[in-house]
Amino acid sequence: MELNVCWFVVLGALLAGYAVLDGFDLGAGIVYLGFKKEEDRRTVLNAIGPLWDGNEVWLITFGGALFAAFPQAYATAFSAYYTAFMLLLFALIFRGVSLEFRGKRPEPAWRGFWDVAFSVSSALATFLFGVAVGGLIRGLPIGPDKEYAGTFWDLLGFYPIVVGLLAVALFALHGALFLHLKSSGDMEARLRRWIGRLFDFFAALYVLATLATLVKIPSAIAHFHSMPVVMLVAAAITAAVVAIPWLVSRGRAAAAFLASSLVTAALVFLFGFAIYPNLLLSSLNPAWSLTLRNAASSHKTLGLMGAVALIGMPFVIAYTIVIYRVFRGKVDKDKLAY
Amino acid sequence: MGVAHNQPAKLAAFEAHYKSDAGPSPMWVFGWPDDKNETMKMGVSVPGGLSFLVHHDFKTPVPGLDQFPRQDRPPVAASYFFFRLMVGLGFAQLFLLILVGFCDWRGALERFPWLLRAMVVSVVGPFIANEAGWIAAEVGRQPWTVYGLLRTSDSLSKSVAAGQVLGSIIGFGLVYLFLFIVWVYVLGDKIRRGPDTSGMES
C-alpha cells in the first residue's frame, strides 16, 4: 500500500481509538448532572478518573500525526476551525481541572460549580467534534490557494449540527453503557432506565443523519456504489445498534459496551471512507480539495514517521491494556480517590 | 553552546553583543543596551567572557549583531533582559539553596528567620525564570519562526483574522487568570492545613 494511504488509515485508526476511548468519558460527563447524589457523582468521577487523560492522548497523537503527515491539511483545518478550536480547548481545560479541583473543597457551591463545568464542557467538546466531522463530510469553502475562504458561521449549518447532535447522543449512550458496567445497585438500575431513553434519542438522530447524508451529500454515497462491500459495515453498525438494548436487558453490560464501542469505531470508519481520498473537501470546487496526495509531507518524512510509529505503537497498546486491566471491574465505593 | 551554533543572532541579542571583535569577545555583566547607537550604556564586561562560554577559550571572537542584516536582527533589549532575568534567578536560587544548606548543616537555620522567608518567596522564582526564558527564546528568534528559513511575517495564517487571534489571547488570559486565582486559593488552603501525616506513621 502506498505510504500516503497508510497514513490516511493510521489517522483513521487514531481517530477511531480516540472516539471509542474518550467517547465514553465525555459521555459520562454528558449524563453526569443526571445523578443527584454525591456518592453517585463521585462514582462517575472515579470510574473515568484514572482513564480519561490517557484517552485524550489519542487526540493529541491524532493532531501530531496529521501535522507531520499532512501539514497542508493541518494548517488549513486548524486555521478554518480557529475559533471553534479555542472553544474546544477551553472546554477541555475546564473539563480537566474540574475533575481535579472538585474534591478539594467540601462546600456544595464549590462542588456544584465544577460539576456544571465538567458536564457542560464534556457536552460542548463532543458537539464541536461532531460539527467538525459534519463539516468535513459536507465540505468547506476552500479556495484554489488551499486556504479556508469562509467565516466561523460557514462551519455551521444544518448538516454539521445534525452530526454534532449525533455525536452528543452517541457519546451519551456510550458513556452511560460504560457507567452501567462500572456501577452497582441503585445507580446501575437507574442507568439501565436511562440507557433506554438515550438509545431512542441516538436511534432517532442516527436515522436523521443517515437521511440527511443520503439527501444532502450524494458524493459521500457514491463510494458505496464502487465498493459495495462497505455496505456490510453499515449493516453491521445497524445490527450492533439494535443489539445494545437487547444486551442491556439481558444483563450483558460488557457486551453492550463492546457493541457501542463497535458502533463508534465503525462510524469513524464510514466517515473516513466517505471522504477518501480527500482530507478537506472543498465545497467551492472539488479540484481545490486537500487530498492525501497534495497535502502530504515528503515520502521520506512519511517513511521515517512510519518507523517511529511502528516502534512506539506497541508501547502505547501495552500500557493501555495494563491500565484498563488494573482499573477493571466495578468502582469500589470504599476507595474513592476523586 | 547550541544557540551560538544554530541561532547566532539570538545569542548576540541575549548578550547585547553589537560589534564583532577582531580578538576575544567580552561578556556584559551589567549595562543598558542602546539599540539606536548600538552600544551598551554603562556597560561593565568580563574580557573574553563570551569567547570562553562559546569556544571554551579566551581568544576566539564571537560574531556580533553587525554580522547580520538589520532586518534579520531580533529586538535586543527584550532578549537581553529576559535572558538575564532567567539566568539571574537561576543563580539566585542556587545561591540561596547553598546558603540554606550550609546553615542547616551547621544547625543554625532557625537563627536566620529571613532565610526561611526567602525560601517561601523563592517558590515563585522558577515560574518567573521559566516564563522569562521562554520569552527570551521566542523574542530572540525574531524575525524568524524557523530560524533562517521562515519569517514570522510569512508564517501567518491567511484565513485567521487579527480579531480572532486577539479574542483567543484575551480568552486564554481570562481562563488562566481565573484558574490561577483558584489554584492560589486551593494551594493556600492546603498549606494552612499543613501536611497530611495520617499515612506516614507506620
Side-chain angles (χ1 to χ4, degrees), chain B residues 36-50:
Chain B
K36 210 181 275 171
N37 303 312
E38 295 183 11
T39 51
M40 276 302 252
K41 280 186 190 161
M42 300 172 288
V44 177
S45 65
V46 179
L50 196 55

mmCIF file with all atom_site columns, all heavy atoms in Angstrom, chain B residues 36-50:
data_model
loop_
_atom_site.group_PDB
_atom_site.id
_atom_site.type_symbol
_atom_site.label_atom_id
_atom_site.label_alt_id
_atom_site.label_comp_id
_atom_site.label_asym_id
_atom_site.label_entity_id
_atom_site.label_seq_id
_atom_site.pdbx_PDB_ins_code
_atom_site.Cartn_x
_atom_site.Cartn_y
_atom_site.Cartn_z
_atom_site.occupancy
_atom_site.B_iso_or_equiv
_atom_site.pdbx_formal_charge
_atom_site.auth_seq_id
_atom_site.auth_comp_id
_atom_site.auth_asym_id
_atom_site.auth_atom_id
_atom_site.pdbx_PDB_model_num
ATOM 1   N N   . LYS B 1 36 ? 19.657 52.324 19.469 1.00 0.00 ? 36 LYS B N   1
ATOM 2   C CA  . LYS B 1 36 ? 19.813 53.401 18.494 1.00 0.00 ? 36 LYS B CA  1
ATOM 3   C C   . LYS B 1 36 ? 21.282 53.583 18.126 1.00 0.00 ? 36 LYS B C   1
ATOM 4   O O   . LYS B 1 36 ? 21.638 53.682 16.959 1.00 0.00 ? 36 LYS B O   1
ATOM 5   C CB  . LYS B 1 36 ? 19.232 54.708 19.067 1.00 0.00 ? 36 LYS B CB  1
ATOM 6   C CG  . LYS B 1 36 ? 18.683 55.619 17.974 1.00 0.00 ? 36 LYS B CG  1
ATOM 7   C CD  . LYS B 1 36 ? 18.133 56.901 18.564 1.00 0.00 ? 36 LYS B CD  1
ATOM 8   C CE  . LYS B 1 36 ? 16.697 56.731 19.040 1.00 0.00 ? 36 LYS B CE  1
ATOM 9   N NZ  . LYS B 1 36 ? 16.226 57.896 19.805 1.00 0.00 ? 36 LYS B NZ  1
ATOM 10  N N   . ASN B 1 37 ? 22.124 53.598 19.127 1.00 0.00 ? 37 ASN B N   1
ATOM 11  C CA  . ASN B 1 37 ? 23.547 53.800 18.872 1.00 0.00 ? 37 ASN B CA  1
ATOM 12  C C   . ASN B 1 37 ? 24.338 52.493 18.849 1.00 0.00 ? 37 ASN B C   1
ATOM 13  O O   . ASN B 1 37 ? 25.550 52.501 18.695 1.00 0.00 ? 37 ASN B O   1
ATOM 14  C CB  . ASN B 1 37 ? 24.134 54.734 19.933 1.00 0.00 ? 37 ASN B CB  1
ATOM 15  C CG  . ASN B 1 37 ? 23.395 56.061 19.956 1.00 0.00 ? 37 ASN B CG  1
ATOM 16  O OD1 . ASN B 1 37 ? 23.172 56.668 18.916 1.00 0.00 ? 37 ASN B OD1 1
ATOM 17  N ND2 . ASN B 1 37 ? 22.975 56.484 21.144 1.00 0.00 ? 37 ASN B ND2 1
ATOM 18  N N   . GLU B 1 38 ? 23.623 51.409 19.027 1.00 0.00 ? 38 GLU B N   1
ATOM 19  C CA  . GLU B 1 38 ? 24.231 50.076 19.006 1.00 0.00 ? 38 GLU B CA  1
ATOM 20  C C   . GLU B 1 38 ? 25.420 49.981 19.967 1.00 0.00 ? 38 GLU B C   1
ATOM 21  O O   . GLU B 1 38 ? 26.492 49.493 19.605 1.00 0.00 ? 38 GLU B O   1
ATOM 22  C CB  . GLU B 1 38 ? 24.639 49.694 17.586 1.00 0.00 ? 38 GLU B CB  1
ATOM 23  C CG  . GLU B 1 38 ? 23.408 49.573 16.694 1.00 0.00 ? 38 GLU B CG  1
ATOM 24  C CD  . GLU B 1 38 ? 23.729 49.128 15.284 1.00 0.00 ? 38 GLU B CD  1
ATOM 25  O OE1 . GLU B 1 38 ? 24.882 48.713 15.063 1.00 0.00 ? 38 GLU B OE1 1
ATOM 26  O OE2 . GLU B 1 38 ? 22.845 49.193 14.426 1.00 0.00 ? 38 GLU B OE2 1
ATOM 27  N N   . THR B 1 39 ? 25.206 50.474 21.154 1.00 0.00 ? 39 THR B N   1
ATOM 28  C CA  . THR B 1 39 ? 26.240 50.326 22.179 1.00 0.00 ? 39 THR B CA  1
ATOM 29  C C   . THR B 1 39 ? 25.593 49.981 23.499 1.00 0.00 ? 39 THR B C   1
ATOM 30  O O   . THR B 1 39 ? 24.372 50.080 23.653 1.00 0.00 ? 39 THR B O   1
ATOM 31  C CB  . THR B 1 39 ? 27.020 51.641 22.404 1.00 0.00 ? 39 THR B CB  1
ATOM 32  O OG1 . THR B 1 39 ? 26.056 52.680 22.618 1.00 0.00 ? 39 THR B OG1 1
ATOM 33  C CG2 . THR B 1 39 ? 27.921 51.976 21.244 1.00 0.00 ? 39 THR B CG2 1
ATOM 34  N N   . MET B 1 40 ? 26.431 49.574 24.459 1.00 0.00 ? 40 MET B N   1
ATOM 35  C CA  . MET B 1 40 ? 25.963 49.355 25.821 1.00 0.00 ? 40 MET B CA  1
ATOM 36  C C   . MET B 1 40 ? 26.224 50.620 26.610 1.00 0.00 ? 40 MET B C   1
ATOM 37  O O   . MET B 1 40 ? 27.336 51.158 26.576 1.00 0.00 ? 40 MET B O   1
ATOM 38  C CB  . MET B 1 40 ? 26.755 48.210 26.450 1.00 0.00 ? 40 MET B CB  1
ATOM 39  C CG  . MET B 1 40 ? 26.215 46.859 26.109 1.00 0.00 ? 40 MET B CG  1
ATOM 40  S SD  . MET B 1 40 ? 24.521 46.659 26.592 1.00 0.00 ? 40 MET B SD  1
ATOM 41  C CE  . MET B 1 40 ? 24.724 45.545 27.959 1.00 0.00 ? 40 MET B CE  1
ATOM 42  N N   . LYS B 1 41 ? 25.195 51.093 27.316 1.00 0.00 ? 41 LYS B N   1
ATOM 43  C CA  . LYS B 1 41 ? 25.402 52.224 28.212 1.00 0.00 ? 41 LYS B CA  1
ATOM 44  C C   . LYS B 1 41 ? 25.829 51.683 29.567 1.00 0.00 ? 41 LYS B C   1
ATOM 45  O O   . LYS B 1 41 ? 25.241 50.706 30.046 1.00 0.00 ? 41 LYS B O   1
ATOM 46  C CB  . LYS B 1 41 ? 24.093 52.999 28.366 1.00 0.00 ? 41 LYS B CB  1
ATOM 47  C CG  . LYS B 1 41 ? 23.807 53.946 27.208 1.00 0.00 ? 41 LYS B CG  1
ATOM 48  C CD  . LYS B 1 41 ? 22.578 54.758 27.564 1.00 0.00 ? 41 LYS B CD  1
ATOM 49  C CE  . LYS B 1 41 ? 22.074 55.543 26.376 1.00 0.00 ? 41 LYS B CE  1
ATOM 50  N NZ  . LYS B 1 41 ? 20.671 55.935 26.594 1.00 0.00 ? 41 LYS B NZ  1
ATOM 51  N N   . MET B 1 42 ? 26.768 52.313 30.160 1.00 0.00 ? 42 MET B N   1
ATOM 52  C CA  . MET B 1 42 ? 27.241 51.942 31.492 1.00 0.00 ? 42 MET B CA  1
ATOM 53  C C   . MET B 1 42 ? 27.612 50.468 31.558 1.00 0.00 ? 42 MET B C   1
ATOM 54  O O   . MET B 1 42 ? 27.352 49.793 32.549 1.00 0.00 ? 42 MET B O   1
ATOM 55  C CB  . MET B 1 42 ? 26.163 52.250 32.551 1.00 0.00 ? 42 MET B CB  1
ATOM 56  C CG  . MET B 1 42 ? 25.777 53.698 32.624 1.00 0.00 ? 42 MET B CG  1
ATOM 57  S SD  . MET B 1 42 ? 24.376 53.947 33.712 1.00 0.00 ? 42 MET B SD  1
ATOM 58  C CE  . MET B 1 42 ? 23.026 53.273 32.762 1.00 0.00 ? 42 MET B CE  1
ATOM 59  N N   . GLY B 1 43 ? 28.194 49.963 30.489 1.00 0.00 ? 43 GLY B N   1
ATOM 60  C CA  . GLY B 1 43 ? 28.498 48.535 30.443 1.00 0.00 ? 43 GLY B CA  1
ATOM 61  C C   . GLY B 1 43 ? 29.738 48.169 31.248 1.00 0.00 ? 43 GLY B C   1
ATOM 62  O O   . GLY B 1 43 ? 30.733 48.875 31.231 1.00 0.00 ? 43 GLY B O   1
ATOM 63  N N   . VAL B 1 44 ? 29.605 47.066 32.000 1.00 0.00 ? 44 VAL B N   1
ATOM 64  C CA  . VAL B 1 44 ? 30.767 46.501 32.688 1.00 0.00 ? 44 VAL B CA  1
ATOM 65  C C   . VAL B 1 44 ? 30.926 45.088 32.155 1.00 0.00 ? 44 VAL B C   1
ATOM 66  O O   . VAL B 1 44 ? 29.968 44.316 32.176 1.00 0.00 ? 44 VAL B O   1
ATOM 67  C CB  . VAL B 1 44 ? 30.543 46.451 34.217 1.00 0.00 ? 44 VAL B CB  1
ATOM 68  C CG1 . VAL B 1 44 ? 31.744 45.802 34.898 1.00 0.00 ? 44 VAL B CG1 1
ATOM 69  C CG2 . VAL B 1 44 ? 30.275 47.831 34.759 1.00 0.00 ? 44 VAL B CG2 1
ATOM 70  N N   . SER B 1 45 ? 32.101 44.737 31.640 1.00 0.00 ? 45 SER B N   1
ATOM 71  C CA  . SER B 1 45 ? 32.201 43.441 30.986 1.00 0.00 ? 45 SER B CA  1
ATOM 72  C C   . SER B 1 45 ? 33.371 42.625 31.502 1.00 0.00 ? 45 SER B C   1
ATOM 73  O O   . SER B 1 45 ? 34.316 43.152 32.088 1.00 0.00 ? 45 SER B O   1
ATOM 74  C CB  . SER B 1 45 ? 32.339 43.632 29.479 1.00 0.00 ? 45 SER B CB  1
ATOM 75  O OG  . SER B 1 45 ? 33.555 44.289 29.200 1.00 0.00 ? 45 SER B OG  1
ATOM 76  N N   . VAL B 1 46 ? 33.255 41.309 31.290 1.00 0.00 ? 46 VAL B N   1
ATOM 77  C CA  . VAL B 1 46 ? 34.361 40.392 31.570 1.00 0.00 ? 46 VAL B CA  1
ATOM 78  C C   . VAL B 1 46 ? 35.100 40.207 30.253 1.00 0.00 ? 46 VAL B C   1
ATOM 79  O O   . VAL B 1 46 ? 34.511 39.705 29.304 1.00 0.00 ? 46 VAL B O   1
ATOM 80  C CB  . VAL B 1 46 ? 33.828 39.028 32.059 1.00 0.00 ? 46 VAL B CB  1
ATOM 81  C CG1 . VAL B 1 46 ? 34.996 38.077 32.313 1.00 0.00 ? 46 VAL B CG1 1
ATOM 82  C CG2 . VAL B 1 46 ? 32.968 39.197 33.282 1.00 0.00 ? 46 VAL B CG2 1
ATOM 83  N N   . PRO B 1 47 ? 36.356 40.597 30.169 1.00 0.00 ? 47 PRO B N   1
ATOM 84  C CA  . PRO B 1 47 ? 37.052 40.458 28.893 1.00 0.00 ? 47 PRO B CA  1
ATOM 85  C C   . PRO B 1 47 ? 37.148 38.992 28.480 1.00 0.00 ? 47 PRO B C   1
ATOM 86  O O   . PRO B 1 47 ? 37.482 38.133 29.300 1.00 0.00 ? 47 PRO B O   1
ATOM 87  C CB  . PRO B 1 47 ? 38.454 41.028 29.190 1.00 0.00 ? 47 PRO B CB  1
ATOM 88  C CG  . PRO B 1 47 ? 38.314 41.801 30.459 1.00 0.00 ? 47 PRO B CG  1
ATOM 89  C CD  . PRO B 1 47 ? 37.178 41.198 31.208 1.00 0.00 ? 47 PRO B CD  1
ATOM 90  N N   . GLY B 1 48 ? 36.783 38.722 27.228 1.00 0.00 ? 48 GLY B N   1
ATOM 91  C CA  . GLY B 1 48 ? 36.875 37.349 26.722 1.00 0.00 ? 48 GLY B CA  1
ATOM 92  C C   . GLY B 1 48 ? 35.824 36.408 27.286 1.00 0.00 ? 48 GLY B C   1
ATOM 93  O O   . GLY B 1 48 ? 35.850 35.214 27.004 1.00 0.00 ? 48 GLY B O   1
ATOM 94  N N   . GLY B 1 49 ? 34.879 36.943 28.069 1.00 0.00 ? 49 GLY B N   1
ATOM 95  C CA  . GLY B 1 49 ? 33.885 36.084 28.739 1.00 0.00 ? 49 GLY B CA  1
ATOM 96  C C   . GLY B 1 49 ? 33.014 35.318 27.757 1.00 0.00 ? 49 GLY B C   1
ATOM 97  O O   . GLY B 1 49 ? 32.764 34.125 27.917 1.00 0.00 ? 49 GLY B O   1
ATOM 98  N N   . LEU B 1 50 ? 32.550 36.006 26.722 1.00 0.00 ? 50 LEU B N   1
ATOM 99  C CA  . LEU B 1 50 ? 31.673 35.351 25.754 1.00 0.00 ? 50 LEU B CA  1
ATOM 100 C C   . LEU B 1 50 ? 32.450 34.319 24.942 1.00 0.00 ? 50 LEU B C   1
ATOM 101 O O   . LEU B 1 50 ? 31.933 33.231 24.655 1.00 0.00 ? 50 LEU B O   1
ATOM 102 C CB  . LEU B 1 50 ? 31.056 36.425 24.836 1.00 0.00 ? 50 LEU B CB  1
ATOM 103 C CG  . LEU B 1 50 ? 29.844 36.004 24.025 1.00 0.00 ? 50 LEU B CG  1
ATOM 104 C CD1 . LEU B 1 50 ? 28.753 35.459 24.921 1.00 0.00 ? 50 LEU B CD1 1
ATOM 105 C CD2 . LEU B 1 50 ? 29.314 37.187 23.229 1.00 0.00 ? 50 LEU B CD2 1
#
